[in-house]
């Protein structure tokens, strides 16, 4: 087989085009177990014929060590074809076949990655659509071969920019993100699915006249709220609550019972949460909220709120225990958990049984938080103003001492 390789946006293949056609046609014929291979080669001597004959799980079943090379060969043949066949017009057909039939996930993803990268040219709608289809094929293959975490998850945050490059419609953007979210859910990657929901909610304008966009935003927002309550590894509630689509849905009542849950998560301390959970147990169960996990999350958020109220001041373990309704002996464990979650930074003193919060994360940074910050800045300003006379006096004393020492150290040289 002639050598082939991929490099950035180009495919290099060795040999004349006609020889490449014949060689790849022969391989496809052998994979299809054609009896009269020479006759098959002579009948399939165009790029279009090779593409047609390669799909249906034929070329995708090539040996893993040759998979990338034979597809690079096919891409090169199509790119240089004289029958005016464009790679962009058959990219989706090839990509979907690889996604459905490649036996090697890693090998198939390399093929799709090469195909995506060589789809270049003017930023036309056809090119953008082709790249979107190839990406979707990557998601399908990565899902089927359990490689989502290694391949697709790192790209989720870049998807809005990629959508802009592709120039695809708002409905296609929603559909792709929903497919990624659902795939991550199926793979039991809950935290990653939650992050995808945040991206989707940032992309979708809930106030849009598009009923599809609004419906998708409402469904995803409700899912993200419940997911936040259940996921122990996710504690930044402001990242969700501050999204424009979530705020719009909350104002309009579009979140339904999930909106009540969000309000409780944002404003309740643990005692208030316990009352809410008891009064709405059936609602929470219907939403899919895990009562135990949500209660633990509210304990962490309550400790963070307590730390915000006492920033820079020692907080006794007893105060924390009372706030989250646990034994005082268990407080140290909860403080470690809340520090590990990133909600606060601080120091514990096991001797005095206190915690000194030095930094904290607010559940939601709104008007009340800005007011508290302003008051704290005013206090710091007053403290600095009180220090100014002390500093000025210290500088004066230092200058006088320096002058005295200079006089004592004077040197006189006589002729």
């Amino acid at each position: 087989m002639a050598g082939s390789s991929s490099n950035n946006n180009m495919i290099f293949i060795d040999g004349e085009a006609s020889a490449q056609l014949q060689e790849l046609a022969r391989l496809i014929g052998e994979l299809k177990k054609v009896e009269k291979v020479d006759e098959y080669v002579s009948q399939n001597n165009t790029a279009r014929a090779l593409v047609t004959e390669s799909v249906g799980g034929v070329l995708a079943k090539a040996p893993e060590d040759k998979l990338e090379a034979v597809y690079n060969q096919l891409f090169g043949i199509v790119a240089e074809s004289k029958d005016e066949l464009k790679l962009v017009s058959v990219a989706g057909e090839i990509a979907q076949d690889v996604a459905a039939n490649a036996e090697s996930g890693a090998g198939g993803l390399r093929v799709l990655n090469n195909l995506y990268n060589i789809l270049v040219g003017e930023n036309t709608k056809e090119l953008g659509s082709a790249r979107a289809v190839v990406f979707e094929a990557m998601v399908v293959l990565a899902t089927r071969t359990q490689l989502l975490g290694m391949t697709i998850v790192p790209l989720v945050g870049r998807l809005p920019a990629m959508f802009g490059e592709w120039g695809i419609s708002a409905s296609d953007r929603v559909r792709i993100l929903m497919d990624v979210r659902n795939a991550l859910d199926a793979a039991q990657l809950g935290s990653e699915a939650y992050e995808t929901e945040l991206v989707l909610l940032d992309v979708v304008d809930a106030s849009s006249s598009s009923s599809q966009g609004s419906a998708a935003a409402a469904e995803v927002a409700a899912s993200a709220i419940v997911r936040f309550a259940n996921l122990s590894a996710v504690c930044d509630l402001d990242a969700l609550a501050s999204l424009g689509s979530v705020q719009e849905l909350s104002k309009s009542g579009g979140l339904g019972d999930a909106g009540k849950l969000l309000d409780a998560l944002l404003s309740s301390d643990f005692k208030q949460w316990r009352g809410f959970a008891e009064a709405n147990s059936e609602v929470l169960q219907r939403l899919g909220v895990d009562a135990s996990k949500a209660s633990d999350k509210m304990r962490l958020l309550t400790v963070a709120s307590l730390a915000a109220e006492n920033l820079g001041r020692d907080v006794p373990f007893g105060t924390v225990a009372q706030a989250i309704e646990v034994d005082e002996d268990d407080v140290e464990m909860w403080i470690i958990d809340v520090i590990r979650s990133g909600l606060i930074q601080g120091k514990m003193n096991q001797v005095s049984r206190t915690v000194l919060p030095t930094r904290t994360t607010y559940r939601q940074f709104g008007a009340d938080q800005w007011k508290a910050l302003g008051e704290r800045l005013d206090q710091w300003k007053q403290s600095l103003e009180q220090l100014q006379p002390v500093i000025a006096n210290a500088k004066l004393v230092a200058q006088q001492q320096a002058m005295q020492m200079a006089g004592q150290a004077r040197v006189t040289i006589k002729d």
Side-chain angles (χ1 to χ4, degrees):
M1 174 173 290
S4 66
S5 64
S6 65
N7 183 16
N8 295 330
N9 298 327
M10 297 176 287
I11 293 290
F12 300 102
I13 56 176
D14 300 330
E16 296 294 331
S18 59
Q20 292 294 324
L21 275 166
Q22 293 176 12
E23 184 177 26
L24 189 55
R26 184 172 297 278
L27 172 64
I28 292 173
E30 292 172 353
L31 289 171
K32 297 182 76 169
K33 298 181 180 180
V34 173
E35 291 183 1
K36 299 178 179 180
V37 176
D38 290 338
E39 183 179 335
Y40 177 85
V41 171
S42 64
Q43 291 174 348
N44 296 280
N45 59 0
T46 65
R48 175 69 262 184
L50 286 183
V51 172
T52 301
E53 292 296 306
S54 70
V55 297
V58 178
L59 199 58
K61 296 294 178 65
E64 183 177 356
D65 60 340
K66 297 180 179 179
L67 188 66
E68 186 176 6
V70 296
Y71 271 102
N72 285 346
Q73 190 172 359
L74 177 62
F75 301 155
I77 289 170
V78 174
E80 297 177 7
S81 68
K82 296 180 180 179
D83 53 359
E84 297 185 354
L85 180 67
K86 295 181 179 179
L87 187 59
V88 69
S89 64
V90 296
E93 184 180 2
I94 296 172
Q96 290 170 351
D97 186 64
V98 173
N101 297 295
E103 295 178 348
S104 166
L109 286 166
R110 286 196 298 271
V111 169
L112 294 176
N113 187 67
N114 290 342
L115 177 56
Y116 182 94
N117 287 331
I118 62 175
L119 288 171
V120 295
E122 295 182 4
N123 194 16
T124 63
K125 183 176 181 180
E126 185 182 22
L127 177 62
S129 297
R131 282 192 144 195
V133 170
V134 174
F135 175 80
E136 290 180 86
M138 292 181 187
V139 175
V140 171
L141 180 57
T143 302
R144 182 168 64 81
T145 56
Q146 300 181 349
L147 293 173
L148 278 169
M150 298 171 57
T151 57
I152 302 304
V153 168
L155 297 175
V156 169
R158 293 172 51 192
L159 283 177
M162 292 166 68
F163 292 157
E165 293 171 2
W166 299 342
I168 58 177
S169 66
S171 60
D172 282 338
R173 298 178 187 206
V174 171
R175 177 179 54 76
I176 290 173
L177 282 166
M178 291 287 280
D179 287 345
V180 172
R181 190 278 305 266
N182 294 339
L184 291 168
D185 253 343
Q188 297 184 340
L189 296 172
S191 295
E192 291 80 0
Y194 174 77
E195 294 299 328
T196 304
E197 288 178 332
L198 294 187
V199 173
L200 196 155
L201 289 168
D202 197 30
V203 167
V204 176
D205 183 1
S207 62
S208 170
S209 59
S210 167
S211 58
Q212 181 183 8
S214 297
E219 185 272 319
V220 173
S223 172
I225 292 166
V226 172
R227 207 183 293 269
F228 176 87
N230 290 339
L231 287 171
S232 58
V234 177
C235 292
D236 184 4
L237 184 54
D238 189 56
L240 171 61
S242 64
L243 291 171
S245 55
V246 175
Q247 293 181 351
E248 184 68 26
L249 286 164
S250 181
K251 291 177 183 177
S252 65
L255 292 174
D257 289 333
K260 298 177 182 178
L261 172 60
L262 177 62
D263 290 340
L265 290 169
L266 283 169
S267 61
S268 301
D269 58 22
F270 181 75
K271 183 178 181 180
Q272 292 168 332
W273 164 261
R274 184 164 52 78
F276 171 83
E278 290 173 356
N280 296 274
S281 58
E282 292 183 3
V283 172
L284 295 180
Q285 186 176 7
R286 185 170 63 251
L287 287 172
V289 176
D290 185 310
S292 177
K293 292 180 179 178
S295 293
D296 286 348
K297 175 67 65 66
M298 286 306 302
R299 284 190 169 97
L300 296 178
L301 295 175
T302 298
V303 174
S305 296
L306 190 62
E309 295 169 1
N310 294 276
L311 199 61
R313 298 194 296 266
D314 286 324
V315 181
F317 281 8
T319 302
V320 177
Q322 186 177 6
I324 62 176
E325 299 183 3
V326 298
D327 291 337
E328 190 171 328
D329 291 340
D330 295 331
V331 166
E332 186 174 338
M333 178 192 68
W334 282 101
I335 292 174
I336 291 172
D337 285 345
V338 78
I339 291 174
R340 186 185 293 120
S341 71
L343 285 171
I344 71 169
Q345 290 180 0
K347 299 178 181 179
M348 279 194 298
N349 189 323
Q350 283 94 346
V351 176
S352 63
R353 297 180 67 77
T354 59
V355 58
L356 175 65
T358 57
R359 188 194 68 81
T360 184
T361 299
Y362 290 92
R363 281 185 242 182
Q364 186 177 33
F365 207 90
D368 291 341
Q369 287 72 37
W370 280 113
K371 181 180 178 181
L373 179 59
E375 292 173 352
R376 189 169 291 123
L377 289 173
D378 287 340
Q379 292 174 358
W380 289 343
K381 182 180 178 181
Q382 292 175 4
S383 298
L384 289 174
E385 289 175 348
Q386 292 172 359
L387 282 173
Q388 280 184 337
V390 178
I391 295 172
N393 185 59
K395 287 176 65 177
L396 180 61
V397 171
Q399 289 173 354
Q400 292 174 345
Q401 290 178 344
M403 291 177 62
Q404 291 175 359
M405 292 184 66
Q408 294 172 2
R410 188 167 51 205
V411 175
T412 303
I413 301 177
K414 296 181 179 180
D415 294 334

